[in-house]
């Protein structure tokens, strides 16, 4: 039985699985974040970013960073 997956309304046999991705180490630059999103977008698996939360800051040494939380839905069919 599928436990975490939720049926996708209107598409028989397809399920979505929500995944939360967090980066909270105060070490990611904006370009790294954009690169990550680009790789996610070009991945062979289908994913949908549902929610984005970004917090910017600066380390004591003056280095700018962003922390982020993404809620991403991945989609699977019953046969996978």
């Amino acid at each position: 039985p599928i436990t975490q997956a939720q049926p996708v309304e209107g598409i028989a046999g397809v399920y979505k699985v929500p995944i939360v991705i967090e980066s909270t180490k105060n070490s990611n630059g904006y370009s790294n974040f954009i690169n990550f999103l680009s790789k996610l977008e070009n991945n062979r698996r289908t994913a949908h970013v549902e929610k984005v939360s970004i917090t910017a800051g600066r380390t004591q040494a003056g280095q700018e960073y962003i922390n982020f939380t993404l809620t991403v839905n991945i989609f699977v069919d019953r046969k996978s």
Side-chain angles (χ1 to χ4, degrees):
I2 298 173
T3 56
Q4 296 175 337
Q6 304 163 0
V8 174
E9 189 175 324
I11 307 175
V14 176
Y15 297 84
K16 70 177 180 178
V17 180
I19 298 173
V20 176
I21 303 167
E22 291 185 308
S23 171
T24 58
K25 303 243 183 213
N26 299 350
S27 62
N28 288 305
Y30 180 75
S31 61
N32 288 344
F33 177 64
I34 295 301
N35 187 39
F36 176 77
L37 288 179
S38 177
K39 288 180 179 183
L40 182 64
E41 181 179 29
N42 292 305
N43 192 318
R44 290 182 56 202
R45 297 251 182 218
T46 303
H48 173 254
V49 177
E50 184 174 295
K51 183 177 178 183
V52 179
S53 174
I54 300 173
T55 305
R58 196 178 290 271
T59 65
Q60 289 181 340
Q63 184 75 0
E64 293 181 344
Y65 67 84
I66 63 169
N67 290 326
F68 61 87
T69 302
L70 298 175
T71 301
V72 177
N73 291 315
I74 60 168
F75 297 91
V76 295
D77 64 31
R78 192 171 23 199
K79 300 171 197 167
S80 294

